[in-house]
């Protein structure tokens, strides 16, 4: 419980130790926003898992497309928002679902829907940030992409590699093996190993867990090690409550027994939930802001300044080719030129600042690999 700061004049401290509490109070008042994109072919248990994770019913009115609709369409983005509250802390969760991914016969362009959606949110944020009312910007940027891999198959498919390669510089990707109750322990281990190998061979970088601080307690360090060792998370989802040994659990009832979704022996569900909600939600948001959005912003500013340079060149050419006699026209051209010069100077200053910042956020490391950014 936080103490109310007193007006006591005789106290022997200044009072800035309450800063964390002030920040905490302000953040709680404002509430939190988190947007997650879910990608994977339909039927892999995506909606079930999201509902299990957030104990909600985000998909209760869902209508499944029929076969023709599924073959016709490539991918379609569906956005759902739910407001959750836990011990006075409000979270506005948005789930961006791409239901038909992988269903259509021709999947070549499926990735475009995902990358376009992510870029659109970045672009909107960029516009809002440059606008007049910057105080109430709604953050719809995608903070995390849960990418579902099927449990059948031996590793990632070419289609998965193509899509992940196009996304990994734009969003934090967290890989999830869906319906993991289809696999036994050895099969899960092998599949995870092959997936990690594939990612390495293709120079794909998923969300990087931050290093655990050395002053954290041993339990936290152990939990951090276990989380890192579990990637990609092999999960089982269920929204059915069953009674096992007198305890109510989320599980899947089979003729031969019950899969307890929350049992670490049965699946990585609890690890995924801990990672996503309890330990790394803020880091996912920070990485989105500091790495992916900065990357996008740098490219935007570079394009704007190039455009301004071209405009300036055009204006100069126009002024030279125009007749020399009209003072008014010349002074108008000069004014525009000065304006453009000033604009370019501002853009270049911003660009230099951003490049410095990007250096610090490991962009140089990331640029080793190919980058696909559609600005
Ligand atoms: P989505 O299309 O990817 O959103 O998949 P759904 O969540 O709608 O699930 C499709 C079907 O798979 C439903 O019948 C679910 O009950 C079932 N299902 C969901 N999660 C799991 C799981 O972890 N294991 C198994 N075996 N079935 C699951």
């Amino acid at each position: 419980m936080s103490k109310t700061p007193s007006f006591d004049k005789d106290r022997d401290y200044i009072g800035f130790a309450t800063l964390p509490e002030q920040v905490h109070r302000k953040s709680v008042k404002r509430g939190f926003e988190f947007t997650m994109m879910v990608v994977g072919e339909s039927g892999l248990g995506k909606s079930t898992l999201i509902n299990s994770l957030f104990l909600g019913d985000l998909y209760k009115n869902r209508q499944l497309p029929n076969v023709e609709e599924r073959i016709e369409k490539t991918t379609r983005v569906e956005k759902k928002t739910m407001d959750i509250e836990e011990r006075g802390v409000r979270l506005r969760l948005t789930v961006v679902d791409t239901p038909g991914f992988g269903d259509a016969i021709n999947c070549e362009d499926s990735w475009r829907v995902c990358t376009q959606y992510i870029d659109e949110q970045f672009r909107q944020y960029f516009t809002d940030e440059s606008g007049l009312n910057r105080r109430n910007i709604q953050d719809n940027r995608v903070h995390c992409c849960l990418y579902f891999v099927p449990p059948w198959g031996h590793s990632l498919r070419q289609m998965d590699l193509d899509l992940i390669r196009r996304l990994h510089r734009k969003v934090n990707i967290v890989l999830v093996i869906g319906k993991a109750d289809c696999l036994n322990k050895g099969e899960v281990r092998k599949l995870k190993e092959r997936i990690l190998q594939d990612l390495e061979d293709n120079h794909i970088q998923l969300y990087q867990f931050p290093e655990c601080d050395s002053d954290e307690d041993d339990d936290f360090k152990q939990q951090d090690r276990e989380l890192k060792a579990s990637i990609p998370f092999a999960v089982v989802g269920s929204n059915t409550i069953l009674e096992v040994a007198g305890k109510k659990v989320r599980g899947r009832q089979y003729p031969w027994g019950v899969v307890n979704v929350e049992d670490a022996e049965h699946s990585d569900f609890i690890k995924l939930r801990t990672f996503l909600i309890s330990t790394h939600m803020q880091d996912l948001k920070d990485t989105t802001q500091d790495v992916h959005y900065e990357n996008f912003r740098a490219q935007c500013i570079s394009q704007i300044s190039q455009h301004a340079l071209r405009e300036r060149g055009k204006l100069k050419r126009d002024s030279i080719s125009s007749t020399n006699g009209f003072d008014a026209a010349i002074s108008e051209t000069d004014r525009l030129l000065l304006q453009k010069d000033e604009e370019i100077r501002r853009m270049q200053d911003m660009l230099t600042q951003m490049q410095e910042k990007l250096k610090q956020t490991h962009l140089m490391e990331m640029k080793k690999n190919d980058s696909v950014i559609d600005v």
Side-chain angles (χ1 to χ4, degrees), residues 324-355:
N324 298 328
F326 298 103
D327 283 351
I330 289 171
S331 64
E332 174 63 4
T333 311
D334 283 347
R335 195 184 57 75
L336 282 171
L337 277 173
L338 280 172
Q339 236 177 33
K340 290 285 168 203
D341 274 343
E342 178 58 19
E343 213 173 298
I344 291 165
R345 200 190 49 73
R346 258 192 305 118
M347 292 297 177
Q348 278 168 345
D349 281 354
M350 275 168 88
L351 196 59
T352 320
Q353 274 176 25
M354 292 188 61
Q355 276 163 348

Side-chain angles (χ1 to χ4, degrees), residues 108-161:
E108 268 173 26
D109 277 354
S110 298
W111 55 268
R112 222 181 279 280
V113 183
C114 303
T115 55
Q116 266 172 5
Y117 184 86
I118 294 169
D119 283 341
E120 265 165 34
Q121 309 317 309
F122 278 155
R123 197 168 294 121
Q124 185 59 52
Y125 197 86
F126 183 70
T127 313
D128 291 348
E129 234 186 8
S130 332
L132 285 177
N133 185 7
R134 297 178 53 191
R135 297 191 62 168
N136 301 314
I137 300 178
Q138 192 168 358
D139 184 6
N140 289 320
R141 294 171 298 178
V142 181
H143 302 115
C144 171
C145 169
L146 271 195
Y147 191 98
F148 277 69
V149 179
W152 42 86
H154 298 288
S155 185
L156 294 174
R157 301 159 295 182
Q158 191 55 45
M159 182 175 81
D160 296 317
L161 287 171

Side-chain angles (χ1 to χ4, degrees), residues 172-228:
N172 298 312
I173 299 183
V174 176
L175 274 200
V176 166
I177 301 171
K179 295 191 169 178
D181 50 333
C182 300
L183 305 167
N184 65 29
K185 268 195 164 176
E187 288 164 343
V188 167
R189 190 175 35 78
K190 266 197 208 131
L191 183 56
K192 285 187 177 188
E193 279 168 12
R194 288 205 202 101
I195 289 176
L196 292 177
Q197 191 59 51
D198 265 359
L199 293 170
E200 198 182 318
D201 293 347
N202 286 277
H203 309 290
I204 289 172
Q205 199 171 31
L206 302 180
Y207 165 70
Q208 293 294 297
F209 279 67
E211 285 302 318
C212 188
D213 288 337
S214 51
D215 58 352
E216 293 289 1
D217 62 44
D218 288 343
D219 285 350
F220 189 87
K221 282 183 186 160
Q222 176 62 21
Q223 188 190 51
D224 193 66
R225 268 195 297 273
E226 282 177 21
L227 283 182
K228 286 176 183 159

Side-chain angles (χ1 to χ4, degrees), residues 180-318:
D181 50 333
C182 300
L183 305 167
N184 65 29
K185 268 195 164 176
E187 288 164 343
V188 167
R189 190 175 35 78
K190 266 197 208 131
L191 183 56
K192 285 187 177 188
E193 279 168 12
R194 288 205 202 101
I195 289 176
L196 292 177
Q197 191 59 51
D198 265 359
L199 293 170
E200 198 182 318
D201 293 347
N202 286 277
H203 309 290
I204 289 172
Q205 199 171 31
L206 302 180
Y207 165 70
Q208 293 294 297
F209 279 67
E211 285 302 318
C212 188
D213 288 337
S214 51
D215 58 352
E216 293 289 1
D217 62 44
D218 288 343
D219 285 350
F220 189 87
K221 282 183 186 160
Q222 176 62 21
Q223 188 190 51
D224 193 66
R225 268 195 297 273
E226 282 177 21
L227 283 182
K228 286 176 183 159
S230 305
I231 298 165
F233 299 103
V235 293
V236 180
S238 170
N239 296 314
T240 312
I241 305 292
L242 302 170
E243 204 165 313
V244 179
K247 261 183 80 184
K248 288 203 169 12
V249 297
R250 274 173 181 257
R252 306 188 64 81
Q253 176 81 62
Y254 292 108
W256 52 89
V258 170
V259 177
N260 179 355
V261 166
E262 301 190 10
D263 185 339
E265 286 295 313
H266 294 189
S267 94
D268 296 330
F269 174 82
I270 284 292
K271 288 194 186 107
L272 175 67
R273 194 171 72 187
T274 306
F275 153 73
L276 209 53
I277 304 173
S278 312
T279 55
H280 287 76
M281 188 178 266
Q282 190 53 47
D283 191 67
L284 287 162
K285 292 180 74 169
D286 291 346
T287 314
T288 304
Q289 167 74 23
D290 299 342
V291 180
H292 301 301
Y293 177 63
E294 285 300 294
N295 196 2
F296 177 89
R297 214 161 85 97
Q299 305 232 5
C300 270
I301 291 177
S302 150
Q303 285 196 358
I304 294 171
S305 71
Q306 274 169 22
H307 176 76
L309 267 173
R310 276 199 303 273
E311 286 285 298
R312 183 176 178 272
K314 221 169 94 191
L315 275 170
K316 250 187 179 160
R317 279 197 304 279
D318 288 353

Side-chain angles (χ1 to χ4, degrees), residues 43-61:
L44 268 187
K46 301 188 297 296
S47 330
T48 310
L49 187 84
I50 297 296
N51 283 336
S52 321
L53 280 172
F54 294 95
L55 307 177
D57 206 353
L58 214 55
Y59 295 96
K60 59 175 179 285
N61 299 322

